[in-house]
């Protein structure tokens, strides 16, 4: 079968090659891929900023149909519509595994990073990670269950009340999903972007978010002051991984406010205004990926039409068209890009 494989670390080295069709193990599920989303980490991997166990087939956001099940699998049948968590292996014994925080297991192996992922015709998932799709969740929407689960995980890091004013920094796919989850909790949402985020800010308005602000043209601090009587927003979700956004968020956050860092920074050492964290007694929390308890709630959000993932998809290509997909993302023309398998 055809697969899009990161053959070596460093920039590029991503090729479509013929690989052997995977075989299912006793406790595994073989899935025929329908759609697979391109994540920011796929881009970072392609550009050489994110290390994976090369050679490996990339891709970890996907939906598909069960093609075969292992001899110990009774939970799923051939033909079931499914998606899967990215977790392929955990140690099962560390304190994080014992508490269900698989995303923090030091020995965890993930699909598309340490184990062959979804930029292919078939992939193998462990049965514990597979989820059936609810009736109202189509394959295209379901391919974005993983990023929605990441958004759900991030939002759970803060306590959001009805009527809170919440600032989401960055109108990329994760930012737009975080904003929708926050809005569903009854908060008033401000999402920010730059002039080259015009398409994404328009999508934010289409989704019914309260304020979509181009900070290069509008004074977001003035807006925050008007909405909060000068106190500042109740919570900030930083989804850009950009230092200016981080420090702007700290400035616009109220005293004793909640700051959740979602975006990943290209450098490990970044200048941060610690004075504001101390003097304002800010609660600063990181959010890493997602964990099992985020998946069923995320599927329910889509099934009940409380979050719209499919509307974020602007481009579709097959895996042989990686260059076109990459260009669409880097040019700013895309919000979410989806890949499909190449069937021989």
């Amino acid at each position: 079968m055809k697969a899009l494989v990161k053959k070596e670390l460093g920039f590029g080295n991503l090729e479509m090659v013929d690989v052997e069709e995977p075989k299912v193990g006793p406790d595994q599920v073989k899935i025929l891929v329908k759609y697979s989303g391109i994540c920011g980490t796929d881009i970072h991997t392609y550009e050489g900023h994110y290390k994976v166990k090369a050679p490996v087939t990339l891709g970890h956001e996907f939906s598909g149909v069960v093609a075969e099940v292992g001899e110990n699998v009774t939970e799923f049948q051939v033909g079931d519509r499914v998606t899967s968590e990215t977790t392929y292996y955990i140690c099962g014994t560390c304190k994080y595994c014992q508490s269900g925080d698989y995303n923090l297991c030091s020995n965890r192996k993930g699909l598309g990073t340490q184990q062959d992922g979804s930029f292919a015709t078939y992939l193998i998932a462990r049965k514990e990670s597979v989820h059936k799709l609810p009736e109202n969740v189509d394959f295209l929407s379901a391919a974005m269950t993983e990023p929605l689960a990441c958004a759900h995980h991030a939002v759970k890091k803060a306590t959001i009340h009805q009527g809170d004013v919440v600032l989401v920094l960055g109108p990329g796919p994760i930012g737009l999903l975080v904003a929708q989850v926050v809005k569903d909790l009854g908060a008033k949402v401000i999402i920010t972007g730059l002039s080259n985020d015009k398409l994404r800010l328009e999508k934010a308005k289409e989704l019914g978010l309260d304020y979509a602000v181009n900070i290069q043209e509008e004074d977001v601090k003035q807006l925050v002051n008007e909405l909060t009587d000068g106190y500042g927003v109740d919570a900030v979700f930083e989804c850009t991984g950009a230092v200016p956004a981080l420090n702007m968020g700290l400035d616009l956050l109220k005293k004793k406010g909640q700051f959740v860092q979602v975006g990943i920074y290209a450098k490990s050492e970044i200048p941060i205004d610690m004075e504001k964290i101390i003097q304002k007694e800010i609660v600063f929390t990181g959010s890493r990926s997602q964990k099992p308890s985020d998946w069923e709630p995320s599927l329910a959000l889509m099934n009940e039409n409380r979050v719209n993932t499919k509307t974020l998809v602007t481009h579709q290509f097959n895996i042989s068209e990686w260059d076109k997909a990459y260009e669409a993302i880097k040019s700013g023309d895309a919000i979410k890009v989806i890949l499909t398998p190449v069937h021989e």
Side-chain angles (χ1 to χ4, degrees), residues 269-343:
E269 294 184 10
I270 58 170
I272 179 172
D273 190 349
M274 289 298 296
E275 184 74 10
K276 284 196 171 64
I277 294 177
I278 296 165
Q279 298 298 340
K280 293 168 75 171
E281 294 193 352
I282 287 169
V283 178
F284 194 108
T285 309
S287 181
R288 182 185 191 278
S289 190
Q290 34 67 39
K291 61 182 185 179
S293 61
D294 297 303
W295 283 73
E296 288 300 321
S298 296
L299 288 166
L301 285 169
M302 291 186 287
N303 192 51
E304 296 162 15
N305 296 315
R306 292 155 57 196
V307 168
N308 189 337
T309 58
K310 186 163 61 173
T311 189
L312 304 185
V313 178
T314 53
H315 295 70
Q316 292 186 44
F317 302 97
N318 68 53
I319 59 172
S320 71
E321 300 174 299
W322 170 261
D323 290 343
K324 293 180 181 177
Y326 179 72
E327 176 58 31
I329 293 169
K330 297 301 286 187
S331 69
D333 292 338
I335 299 177
K336 191 67 180 182
V337 177
I338 297 288
L339 298 182
T340 55
V342 171
H343 296 290

Coordinates of all heavy atoms in Angstrom, one line a residue, residues 269-343:
E269 N 13.5 28.2 25.5 CA 13.7 29.3 26.3 C 13.0 30.5 25.7 O 13.4 31.0 24.6 CB 15.2 29.6 26.5 CG 15.9 28.4 27.3 CD 17.4 28.7 27.5 OE1 17.8 29.9 27.3 OE2 18.1 27.8 27.9
I270 N 12.0 31.1 26.4 CA 11.3 32.2 25.9 C 11.2 33.3 27.0 O 11.1 33.0 28.1 CB 9.9 31.8 25.4 CG1 9.1 31.2 26.6 CG2 9.9 30.9 24.2 CD1 7.6 31.0 26.3
P271 N 11.2 34.6 26.5 CA 11.0 35.7 27.5 C 9.6 35.8 27.9 O 8.7 36.0 27.1 CB 11.5 36.9 26.7 CG 11.3 36.6 25.3 CD 11.5 35.1 25.2
I272 N 9.3 35.7 29.2 CA 8.0 35.7 29.7 C 7.9 36.7 30.9 O 8.9 36.8 31.7 CB 7.5 34.3 30.2 CG1 6.1 34.4 30.8 CG2 8.5 33.7 31.2 CD1 5.5 33.0 31.1
D273 N 6.8 37.5 30.9 CA 6.7 38.6 32.0 C 6.3 37.9 33.3 O 5.1 37.9 33.6 CB 5.7 39.6 31.5 CG 5.6 40.8 32.4 OD1 6.3 40.8 33.5 OD2 5.0 41.8 32.0
M274 N 7.3 37.4 34.0 CA 7.0 36.7 35.3 C 6.4 37.7 36.3 O 5.7 37.3 37.2 CB 8.3 36.1 35.8 CG 8.7 34.9 35.0 SD 7.5 33.5 35.0 CE 7.5 33.1 36.8
E275 N 6.8 39.0 36.2 CA 6.3 39.9 37.1 C 4.7 40.0 37.2 O 4.1 40.0 38.3 CB 6.8 41.3 36.8 CG 6.4 42.4 37.7 CD 7.2 42.4 39.0 OE1 8.2 41.6 39.1 OE2 6.9 43.1 40.0
K276 N 4.1 39.8 36.0 CA 2.7 39.8 36.0 C 2.1 38.6 36.6 O 1.1 38.6 37.3 CB 2.2 40.0 34.5 CG 2.3 41.4 34.0 CD 1.4 41.6 32.7 CE 1.4 43.0 32.3 NZ 2.7 43.6 32.0
I277 N 2.7 37.4 36.4 CA 2.3 36.2 37.0 C 2.3 36.3 38.5 O 1.4 35.9 39.2 CB 3.1 35.0 36.5 CG1 2.9 34.8 35.0 CG2 2.7 33.7 37.3 CD1 3.7 33.7 34.4
I278 N 3.4 36.9 39.0 CA 3.5 37.0 40.5 C 2.6 38.1 41.0 O 1.8 37.8 42.0 CB 5.0 37.4 40.8 CG1 5.9 36.3 40.4 CG2 5.1 37.7 42.3 CD1 7.4 36.6 40.4
Q279 N 2.6 39.3 40.5 CA 1.9 40.4 41.1 C 0.4 40.3 40.9 O -0.4 40.8 41.7 CB 2.3 41.7 40.5 CG 3.8 42.1 40.7 CD 4.1 42.2 42.2 OE1 3.3 42.5 43.0 NE2 5.4 42.1 42.5
K280 N -0.1 39.6 39.9 CA -1.5 39.4 39.6 C -2.0 38.0 40.2 O -3.2 37.7 40.0 CB -1.8 39.5 38.1 CG -1.6 40.9 37.6 CD -1.6 41.0 36.1 CE -3.0 40.9 35.5 NZ -3.0 41.2 34.0
E281 N -1.1 37.3 40.8 CA -1.4 35.9 41.3 C -2.1 35.1 40.2 O -3.2 34.5 40.5 CB -2.2 36.0 42.6 CG -1.5 36.6 43.7 CD -2.2 36.4 45.1 OE1 -3.3 36.0 45.1 OE2 -1.5 36.8 46.1
I282 N -1.6 35.1 39.1 CA -2.1 34.3 37.9 C -1.9 32.8 38.1 O -0.8 32.4 38.5 CB -1.5 34.8 36.6 CG1 -2.0 36.2 36.3 CG2 -1.8 33.8 35.5 CD1 -1.3 36.9 35.1
V283 N -2.9 32.0 37.8 CA -2.8 30.6 37.7 C -2.4 30.2 36.3 O -3.2 30.4 35.4 CB -4.1 29.9 38.1 CG1 -4.0 28.4 38.0 CG2 -4.5 30.3 39.5
F284 N -1.2 29.7 36.1 CA -0.6 29.4 34.8 C -0.5 27.9 34.6 O 0.2 27.3 35.4 CB 0.8 30.1 34.6 CG 1.3 30.2 33.2 CD1 1.3 31.4 32.6 CD2 1.7 29.0 32.6 CE1 1.8 31.4 31.3 CE2 2.2 29.1 31.3 CZ 2.3 30.3 30.6
T285 N -1.2 27.4 33.6 CA -1.2 25.9 33.4 C -0.9 25.6 32.0 O -1.3 26.3 31.0 CB -2.6 25.4 33.7 OG1 -3.1 25.9 35.0 CG2 -2.6 23.9 33.7
G286 N -0.1 24.5 31.8 CA 0.2 24.0 30.5 C -0.9 22.9 30.1 O -1.5 22.3 31.0
S287 N -1.1 22.7 28.9 CA -2.0 21.7 28.4 C -1.3 20.9 27.3 O -1.0 21.4 26.3 CB -3.3 22.3 27.9 OG -4.2 21.3 27.5
R288 N -1.1 19.6 27.6 CA -0.4 18.7 26.6 C -1.4 17.7 26.0 O -1.9 16.8 26.6 CB 0.7 18.0 27.3 CG 1.5 17.1 26.3 CD 2.6 16.3 27.0 NE 3.5 15.7 26.1 CZ 3.3 14.6 25.4 NH1 2.1 13.9 25.6 NH2 4.1 14.1 24.5
S289 N -1.6 17.9 24.7 CA -2.3 16.9 23.9 C -3.7 16.6 24.5 O -4.5 17.5 24.8 CB -1.5 15.6 23.8 OG -2.0 14.7 22.8
Q290 N -4.0 15.3 24.6 CA -5.3 14.9 25.1 C -5.2 13.6 25.8 O -4.1 13.0 25.8 CB -6.3 14.8 24.0 CG -5.8 14.3 22.6 CD -5.3 12.9 22.6 OE1 -5.9 12.0 23.2 NE2 -4.2 12.6 21.9
K291 N -6.2 13.1 26.5 CA -6.2 11.8 27.2 C -7.5 11.1 27.0 O -8.5 11.7 26.5 CB -5.8 12.0 28.7 CG -6.8 12.8 29.5 CD -6.3 12.9 30.9 CE -7.2 13.6 31.8 NZ -6.8 13.7 33.2
P292 N -7.6 9.8 27.4 CA -8.8 9.1 27.1 C -10.2 9.7 27.5 O -11.1 9.7 26.7 CB -8.6 7.8 27.8 CG -7.2 7.6 27.9 CD -6.6 9.0 28.0
S293 N -10.2 10.4 28.6 CA -11.4 11.0 29.1 C -11.9 12.2 28.2 O -13.0 12.7 28.4 CB -11.3 11.4 30.5 OG -10.3 12.4 30.7
D294 N -11.1 12.6 27.3 CA -11.5 13.7 26.4 C -12.2 13.3 25.2 O -12.9 14.1 24.5 CB -10.3 14.5 26.0 CG -9.6 15.2 27.2 OD1 -10.2 16.0 27.9 OD2 -8.3 14.9 27.3
W295 N -12.2 12.0 24.9 CA -12.7 11.5 23.5 C -14.2 11.4 23.4 O -14.8 11.9 22.5 CB -12.0 10.2 23.2 CG -10.6 10.5 22.7 CD1 -9.5 10.9 23.5 CD2 -10.1 10.6 21.3 NE1 -8.4 11.2 22.7 CE2 -8.8 11.0 21.4 CE3 -10.7 10.3 20.1 CZ2 -8.0 11.1 20.2 CZ3 -10.0 10.5 19.0 CH2 -8.6 10.9 19.0
E296 N -14.8 10.7 24.4 CA -16.3 10.6 24.3 C -17.0 11.9 24.4 O -17.9 12.2 23.7 CB -16.8 9.6 25.3 CG -16.4 8.1 25.0 CD -17.0 7.7 23.6 OE1 -18.2 8.0 23.3 OE2 -16.3 6.9 22.9
P297 N -16.6 12.8 25.3 CA -17.2 14.2 25.3 C -17.0 14.9 24.0 O -17.9 15.7 23.6 CB -16.4 14.8 26.5 CG -16.0 13.7 27.4 CD -15.6 12.6 26.5
S298 N -15.9 14.7 23.4 CA -15.6 15.4 22.1 C -16.5 14.9 21.0 O -17.1 15.7 20.2 CB -14.2 15.3 21.7 OG -13.3 15.9 22.6
L299 N -16.7 13.6 21.0 CA -17.6 13.0 20.0 C -19.0 13.4 20.3 O -19.8 13.7 19.3 CB -17.5 11.5 20.1 CG -16.2 10.9 19.5 CD1 -16.1 9.4 19.9 CD2 -16.2 11.0 17.9
A300 N -19.4 13.6 21.6 CA -20.7 14.1 21.9 C -20.9 15.5 21.5 O -22.0 15.9 21.0 CB -21.0 13.9 23.4
L301 N -19.9 16.3 21.6 CA -20.0 17.7 21.2 C -20.3 17.8 19.7 O -21.1 18.7 19.3 CB -18.7 18.5 21.5 CG -18.5 18.9 23.0 CD1 -17.1 19.4 23.1 CD2 -19.5 19.9 23.4
M302 N -19.7 17.0 18.9 CA -20.0 17.0 17.5 C -21.4 16.3 17.2 O -22.1 16.8 16.4 CB -18.9 16.2 16.7 CG -17.6 16.9 16.7 SD -16.3 16.1 15.6 CE -15.9 14.6 16.7
N303 N -21.7 15.2 17.8 CA -22.9 14.5 17.6 C -24.1 15.4 17.9 O -25.2 15.3 17.2 CB -23.0 13.3 18.5 CG -24.1 12.3 18.1 OD1 -24.2 12.0 16.9 ND2 -24.9 11.9 19.1
E304 N -24.0 16.3 18.9 CA -25.1 17.1 19.3 C -25.0 18.5 18.7 O -25.8 19.4 19.1 CB -25.1 17.2 20.9 CG -25.3 15.9 21.6 CD -24.9 15.9 23.0 OE1 -24.6 17.0 23.6 OE2 -24.8 14.8 23.6
N305 N -24.2 18.7 17.7 CA -24.0 19.9 16.9 C -23.7 21.1 17.8 O -24.1 22.2 17.5 CB -25.3 20.2 16.1 CG -25.6 19.2 15.1 OD1 -24.7 18.8 14.3 ND2 -26.8 18.7 15.0
R306 N -22.9 20.9 18.9 CA -22.5 21.9 19.8 C -21.2 22.5 19.4 O -20.8 23.6 19.7 CB -22.5 21.4 21.2 CG -23.9 21.1 21.8 CD -23.9 20.1 22.9 NE -23.0 20.5 24.0 CZ -22.6 19.7 24.9 NH1 -22.9 18.4 24.9 NH2 -21.8 20.1 25.9
V307 N -20.4 21.7 18.6 CA -19.1 22.1 18.0 C -19.1 21.7 16.6 O -19.5 20.5 16.3 CB -17.9 21.6 18.8 CG1 -16.6 21.8 18.0 CG2 -17.8 22.2 20.2
N308 N -18.7 22.6 15.7 CA -18.6 22.3 14.3 C -17.2 22.1 13.8 O -16.5 23.1 13.8 CB -19.3 23.4 13.4 CG -19.5 23.0 12.0 OD1 -18.8 22.2 11.5 ND2 -20.5 23.6 11.3
T309 N -16.8 20.9 13.6 CA -15.4 20.7 13.1 C -15.3 20.8 11.6 O -14.3 21.3 11.1 CB -14.8 19.4 13.6 OG1 -15.7 18.3 13.1 CG2 -14.8 19.3 15.1
K310 N -16.3 20.2 10.9 CA -16.2 20.1 9.4 C -16.1 21.4 8.8 O -15.4 21.5 7.7 CB -17.4 19.3 8.9 CG -17.4 19.0 7.5 CD -18.3 17.9 7.1 CE -19.8 18.3 7.4 NZ -20.7 17.2 6.8
T311 N -16.6 22.5 9.3 CA -16.6 23.8 8.7 C -15.2 24.4 8.6 O -14.9 25.3 7.9 CB -17.5 24.8 9.4 OG1 -17.7 26.0 8.7 CG2 -17.0 25.1 10.8
L312 N -14.3 23.8 9.4 CA -12.9 24.3 9.4 C -12.1 23.8 8.3 O -11.0 24.2 8.0 CB -12.2 24.0 10.8 CG -12.9 24.5 12.0 CD1 -12.0 24.2 13.3 CD2 -13.2 26.0 12.0
V313 N -12.6 22.7 7.6 CA -11.9 22.1 6.5 C -12.0 22.9 5.3 O -13.1 23.2 4.7 CB -12.4 20.7 6.2 CG1 -11.7 20.1 5.0 CG2 -12.2 19.8 7.5
T314 N -10.9 23.4 4.8 CA -10.9 24.3 3.6 C -10.3 23.6 2.4 O -10.5 24.0 1.2 CB -10.1 25.6 3.9 OG1 -8.8 25.3 4.4 CG2 -10.8 26.5 4.9
H315 N -9.4 22.6 2.6 CA -8.7 22.0 1.5 C -8.7 20.5 1.7 O -8.5 20.0 2.9 CB -7.3 22.5 1.4 CG -7.2 23.9 1.0 ND1 -7.5 25.0 1.8 CD2 -6.7 24.5 -0.2 CE1 -7.3 26.1 1.2 NE2 -6.8 25.9 0.0
Q316 N -8.8 19.7 0.6 CA -8.6 18.3 0.7 C -7.6 17.8 -0.5 O -7.8 18.3 -1.6 CB -9.9 17.5 0.5 CG -10.9 17.7 1.7 CD -12.1 16.8 1.5 OE1 -12.0 15.6 1.2 NE2 -13.2 17.4 1.8
F317 N -6.7 17.0 -0.1 CA -5.7 16.4 -1.1 C -5.6 15.0 -0.8 O -5.9 14.5 0.3 CB -4.4 17.1 -1.0 CG -4.4 18.6 -1.3 CD1 -4.4 19.5 -0.2 CD2 -4.4 19.1 -2.5 CE1 -4.4 20.9 -0.4 CE2 -4.4 20.5 -2.7 CZ -4.4 21.4 -1.6
N318 N -5.0 14.2 -1.8 CA -4.6 12.8 -1.4 C -3.2 12.9 -1.0 O -2.5 13.9 -1.1 CB -4.9 11.8 -2.5 CG -4.0 12.0 -3.7 OD1 -2.8 12.1 -3.6 ND2 -4.6 12.1 -4.9
I319 N -2.7 11.8 -0.4 CA -1.4 11.8 0.3 C -0.2 12.0 -0.7 O 0.9 12.4 -0.3 CB -1.1 10.5 1.1 CG1 -1.2 9.3 0.2 CG2 -2.0 10.4 2.3 CD1 -0.8 8.0 0.9
S320 N -0.5 11.8 -2.0 CA 0.6 12.0 -3.0 C 0.7 13.5 -3.3 O 1.7 13.9 -4.0 CB 0.2 11.3 -4.3 OG -0.9 11.9 -5.0
E321 N -0.2 14.3 -2.8 CA -0.2 15.8 -3.1 C 0.3 16.6 -1.8 O -0.1 17.7 -1.6 CB -1.6 16.2 -3.5 CG -2.1 15.6 -4.7 CD -3.5 15.9 -5.1 OE1 -4.4 15.6 -4.2 OE2 -3.8 16.5 -6.1
W322 N 1.2 16.0 -1.1 CA 1.7 16.6 0.1 C 2.2 18.0 -0.2 O 2.0 19.0 0.6 CB 2.8 15.8 0.8 CG 3.5 16.6 1.9 CD1 4.7 17.3 1.8 CD2 3.1 16.8 3.2 NE1 5.0 17.9 3.0 CE2 4.0 17.6 3.8 CE3 1.9 16.4 3.9 CZ2 3.9 18.0 5.2 CZ3 1.8 16.8 5.2 CH2 2.7 17.6 5.8
D323 N 3.0 18.2 -1.2 CA 3.5 19.6 -1.5 C 2.4 20.6 -1.7 O 2.6 21.7 -1.2 CB 4.3 19.5 -2.8 CG 5.6 18.7 -2.7 OD1 6.0 18.5 -1.5 OD2 6.2 18.3 -3.7
K324 N 1.3 20.3 -2.3 CA 0.2 21.2 -2.4 C -0.4 21.5 -1.1 O -0.8 22.6 -0.8 CB -0.9 20.6 -3.4 CG -0.4 20.5 -4.8 CD -1.6 19.9 -5.7 CE -1.2 19.8 -7.1 NZ -2.2 19.2 -7.9
A325 N -0.6 20.4 -0.3 CA -1.1 20.6 1.1 C -0.3 21.5 1.9 O -0.8 22.4 2.6 CB -1.3 19.2 1.7
Y326 N 1.0 21.3 1.9 CA 2.0 22.1 2.7 C 1.9 23.5 2.2 O 1.9 24.4 3.1 CB 3.4 21.5 2.5 CG 4.5 22.2 3.2 CD1 4.6 22.1 4.6 CD2 5.4 23.0 2.5 CE1 5.6 22.8 5.3 CE2 6.4 23.7 3.2 CZ 6.5 23.6 4.6 OH 7.5 24.2 5.2
E327 N 1.9 23.8 0.9 CA 1.8 25.1 0.4 C 0.6 25.8 0.9 O 0.6 27.0 1.2 CB 1.9 25.1 -1.1 CG 1.8 26.5 -1.8 CD 2.8 27.5 -1.3 OE1 3.9 27.1 -0.9 OE2 2.5 28.7 -1.2
A328 N -0.6 25.1 0.9 CA -1.8 25.7 1.3 C -1.8 26.2 2.7 O -2.3 27.2 3.1 CB -3.0 24.7 1.1
I329 N -1.1 25.3 3.6 CA -1.0 25.7 5.0 C 0.0 26.8 5.2 O -0.3 27.8 5.9 CB -0.5 24.4 5.8 CG1 -1.6 23.4 5.8 CG2 -0.1 24.8 7.2 CD1 -1.1 22.0 6.3
K330 N 1.1 26.8 4.6 CA 2.2 27.8 4.8 C 1.8 29.2 4.2 O 2.2 30.2 4.7 CB 3.5 27.3 4.2 CG 4.1 26.1 4.8 CD 4.3 26.3 6.3 CE 5.5 27.1 6.6 NZ 5.9 27.1 8.0
S331 N 0.9 29.1 3.1 CA 0.5 30.4 2.5 C -0.5 31.1 3.3 O -0.8 32.3 3.1 CB 0.0 30.1 1.1 OG -1.3 29.4 1.2
G332 N -1.1 30.4 4.3 CA -2.2 31.1 5.0 C -3.6 30.9 4.4 O -4.6 31.5 4.9
D333 N -3.6 30.2 3.2 CA -4.9 30.1 2.5 C -5.8 29.1 3.2 O -7.0 29.0 2.9 CB -4.7 29.7 1.1 CG -4.0 30.7 0.2 OD1 -4.1 31.9 0.6 OD2 -3.3 30.4 -0.8
A334 N -5.3 28.2 4.0 CA -6.0 27.1 4.6 C -6.3 27.3 6.1 O -5.6 28.0 6.8 CB -5.3 25.8 4.4
I335 N -7.4 26.7 6.5 CA -7.6 26.6 8.0 C -7.2 25.2 8.4 O -6.3 25.0 9.1 CB -9.1 26.9 8.4 CG1 -9.4 28.4 8.0 CG2 -9.3 26.7 9.9 CD1 -10.9 28.8 8.3
K336 N -8.0 24.2 7.8 CA -7.6 22.8 8.1 C -7.5 22.1 6.8 O -8.4 22.2 5.9 CB -8.7 22.2 9.0 CG -8.3 20.8 9.5 CD -7.2 20.9 10.5 CE -6.8 19.5 11.0 NZ -5.7 19.6 12.0
V337 N -6.5 21.3 6.6 CA -6.2 20.5 5.4 C -6.4 19.0 5.7 O -5.8 18.6 6.7 CB -4.8 20.8 4.8 CG1 -4.6 19.9 3.6 CG2 -4.7 22.3 4.5
I338 N -7.1 18.3 4.9 CA -7.4 16.9 5.1 C -6.8 16.1 3.9 O -6.9 16.5 2.8 CB -8.9 16.7 5.1 CG1 -9.5 17.4 6.3 CG2 -9.2 15.1 5.2 CD1 -9.2 16.8 7.7
L339 N -6.2 15.0 4.3 CA -5.6 14.1 3.3 C -6.4 12.8 3.2 O -7.0 12.4 4.2 CB -4.2 13.7 3.6 CG -3.1 14.9 3.7 CD1 -1.7 14.3 4.0 CD2 -3.1 15.7 2.4
T340 N -6.4 12.3 2.0 CA -7.1 11.0 1.8 C -6.1 10.0 1.2 O -5.1 10.3 0.7 CB -8.3 11.1 0.8 OG1 -7.8 11.7 -0.5 CG2 -9.4 12.0 1.3
P341 N -6.3 8.7 1.4 CA -5.4 7.7 1.0 C -5.3 7.6 -0.6 O -6.2 8.0 -1.2 CB -5.9 6.3 1.6 CG -6.9 6.7 2.6 CD -7.5 8.1 2.2
V342 N -4.3 7.0 -1.0 CA -4.2 6.6 -2.5 C -4.4 5.1 -2.6 O -3.7 4.3 -2.0 CB -2.8 6.9 -3.0 CG1 -2.6 6.3 -4.4 CG2 -2.6 8.5 -3.1
H343 N -5.5 4.7 -3.2 CA -5.9 3.3 -3.3 C -5.3 2.8 -4.7 O -5.5 3.4 -5.7 CB -7.4 3.1 -3.3 CG -8.0 3.6 -2.0 ND1 -7.8 2.9 -0.8 CD2 -8.8 4.6 -1.6 CE1 -8.5 3.4 0.2 NE2 -9.0 4.5 -0.3

